[in-house]
Amino acid sequence: MFERFFTVDLATRDLAQIKKSYNDFAELTSLFPHSRYAPAAHQYMVYLRNVLANHELHIAQYYYDRGAYVASANRANYVVQHFQGAPAVPKALVLMVKDYRKLNLAQNAGDALRVLQYNYPNSEYMKEVEK
């Protein structure tokens, strides 16, 4: 609710309560799948999952901005592996390509680029990688 009124990005805050909320909603949907609250709980889980993915992406970008390219690539890779389908995934792939290029790891950069091209062929993310 606060995010809507004050434009606070929850991904930049402490996520302990968000993780707890996600687990509570997951428990509700698993124990009571036919409850009238289950669809809303599922939607909240999707939202909270996206917040968690954005948080990891913020950390990866922080590392990239400070020249810690290995740490940045690892965080971006974590986003791609654990938050498939989240809006942060293509941004994480772009960051992985940039990290691997900075580290002179052409094979890894090429792999990340191919994944990005395959899944997001005509997106603005492809333009960002070409810079």
Side-chain angles (χ1 to χ4, degrees), residues 53 56-61 63-64 69-83 88-100 112:
E56 292 295 326
L57 187 61
H58 279 294
I59 295 170
Q61 186 64 50
Y63 286 143
Y64 180 83
Y69 304 118
V70 173
S72 176
N74 288 338
R75 284 288 182 147
N77 189 19
Y78 182 83
V79 171
V80 172
Q81 287 182 355
H82 292 91
F83 298 102
V89 170
K91 297 172 191 172
L93 285 166
V94 168
L95 194 55
M96 285 174 65
V97 171
K98 290 179 178 181
D99 287 324
Y100 291 138

Side-chain angles (χ1 to χ4, degrees), residues 5-60:
F5 294 115
F6 299 112
T7 63
V8 174
D9 187 4
L10 293 177
T12 62
R13 304 288 184 219
D14 179 35
L15 298 182
Q17 191 60 40
I18 290 176
K19 290 177 183 177
K20 183 183 180 318
S21 297
Y22 182 88
N23 291 334
D24 290 344
F25 285 126
E27 184 177 356
L28 184 138
T29 58
S30 68
L31 293 177
F32 307 103
H34 302 295
S35 165
R36 67 180 185 160
Y37 302 110
H42 179 71
Q43 289 299 315
Y44 282 120
M45 287 174 60
V46 169
Y47 170 74
L48 295 173
R49 185 174 173 269
N50 290 342
V51 170
L52 294 170
N54 285 336
H55 177 73
E56 292 295 326
L57 187 61
H58 279 294
I59 295 170

